[in-house]
Amino acid sequence: MSAQPAPATATDKPLVPAAKLYFPDEDRKWILEQIDQVLASGQLTLGKHGKELERRWAEYCGVKYAVAVNSGTSSIEIPLRAMGVEGKDVICPTNTFFATAAGIIHAGGNAVLADMDPDYYSLTVKEIEKRLTPKTAGVVIVHIGGFVTPHINEIADFCKSKGIWLFEDAAHAHGSSYKGKKAGAFGRASSFSFYPTKVMTSGEGGIIATDDEHVYNEALIYRDQGKASFTVNAHTRLGYNWRMSEIHAVIGLKQMDRLEFMISERQRAARAYDAAFRNDPLARPMLTPDGGTANYYKYLLIPARPLKDRKAMKMAVREKFNVGLTGEVYEEPLHKQPVFKNLDRGNYPVADEGCARHICLPLFPGITDEMIQRTIEGVKWGLKEFSS
């Protein structure tokens, strides 16, 4: 039976948005007061708020150092520069955002794409070993959707045995962990994004976390136009303006105050989704591994059979149930992106299928039980109508 379009009239219930920022009234008031003080002080960058955000983030992740920067993208490129990837190969998953591979390339390295595992959309030792070359300097692992793969320690040990480093693109993984260790503390260095869609935001911004003193010191230089220090106009690295402003740091600090609550709200919705789909014959949820905690930046649901038309399904669920399904992670792997056409090193069948098949359900602080149940109802309807 072919899928039928949903009725044109939408439900009269309020929209379940794909995502929603969380800034309570008291938080906005505090942020505005602090921004006013920043403006009055005249120090709009590299001031006390940025330093406090760095201190708190390092402590939160369980590492020695953190460096606040202007974006999650630069939080990838800077440590890769510091670790010396120029002319070397760096393995990264093909099912990731543009910035992961772009950071490698902009730092002078060669991005070597790898296929993903079907369970956590991450890498495996077997796949990493397959992509090793004599010029391999390191591996970038991405915690897709906020899930730390249960293979993370095995991957870290393998990298160590091969004399290469592990770097974490933890843009999705604020507060996620595995066996008591936070995302961002497994590799030589890690990057986080504070873009507005992330679990917490600073408006625009990102942060580097590391235990490596060399990476830390180099990151401080690179983010400030390659200057040896803030007070000396002597440039020792080919850096860039990658600084985080004090205004963005203020927003980030208040969001950190709310981070655990925002994660708990996502986990509350995820538990309901898990219960609804755990035994569903039409789709399986990505479940948190034993010993792990996920922040559920995304709630991934993998249909048992390919959807006839994922875009049409999402539109139909929106029209019939007033539920907005979120963007995928990611719908097009890097080897299919035009800008990376020269990076294609072979076939990536698992990523091709996984990127094309999965859908992501709404998660945000303040999502109501009614919204969660309507999402479940809408998605179950959509799976029946659009499964091939």
Side-chain angles (χ1 to χ4, degrees), residues 120-294:
Y120 290 97
Y121 283 35
S122 187
L123 297 178
T124 63
V125 166
K126 183 177 179 180
E127 180 63 17
I128 293 168
E129 192 166 23
K130 178 180 175 182
R131 306 291 174 174
L132 285 174
T133 75
K135 295 196 301 180
T136 301
V139 175
V140 178
I141 196 163
V142 183
H143 303 309
I144 292 291
F147 292 81
V148 179
T149 173
H151 304 298
I152 186 67
N153 288 320
E154 180 188 2
I155 291 169
D157 290 343
F158 175 79
C159 290
K160 185 177 181 180
S161 73
K162 296 295 182 180
I164 60 178
W165 42 257
L166 177 66
F167 178 83
E168 296 171 75
D169 180 342
H172 297 181
H174 316 65
S176 299
S177 66
Y178 183 67
K179 292 191 174 178
K181 183 182 285 190
K182 285 276 179 60
F186 290 94
R188 184 177 175 189
S190 59
S191 66
F192 292 84
S193 171
F194 294 150
Y195 187 70
T197 61
K198 298 302 187 288
V199 174
M200 66 164 277
T201 184
S202 59
E204 286 279 8
I207 200 163
I208 300 158
T210 185
D211 278 323
D212 190 304
E213 186 175 9
H214 170 77
V215 171
Y216 170 67
N217 289 329
E218 289 290 296
L220 294 176
I221 295 170
Y222 273 112
R223 76 165 173 187
D224 189 24
Q225 304 281 15
K227 291 165 62 177
S229 74
F230 181 63
T231 58
V232 177
N233 197 27
H235 299 261
T236 58
R237 300 287 184 274
L238 196 61
Y240 205 77
N241 177 8
W242 282 315
R243 298 181 297 266
M244 175 184 281
S245 79
E246 284 290 275
I247 292 170
H248 290 93
V250 164
I251 298 171
L253 283 169
K254 181 47 66 177
Q255 285 274 284
M256 271 207 77
D257 289 342
R258 300 289 185 179
L259 181 55
E260 289 303 310
F261 168 74
M262 294 190 291
I263 291 173
S264 71
E265 284 285 276
R266 290 173 174 271
Q267 291 171 335
R268 174 177 61 85
R271 286 193 294 271
Y273 292 152
D274 284 350
F277 291 102
R278 189 185 298 267
N279 297 311
D280 194 305
L282 295 180
R284 66 172 179 86
M286 186 178 290
L287 298 172
T288 306
D290 291 341
T293 59

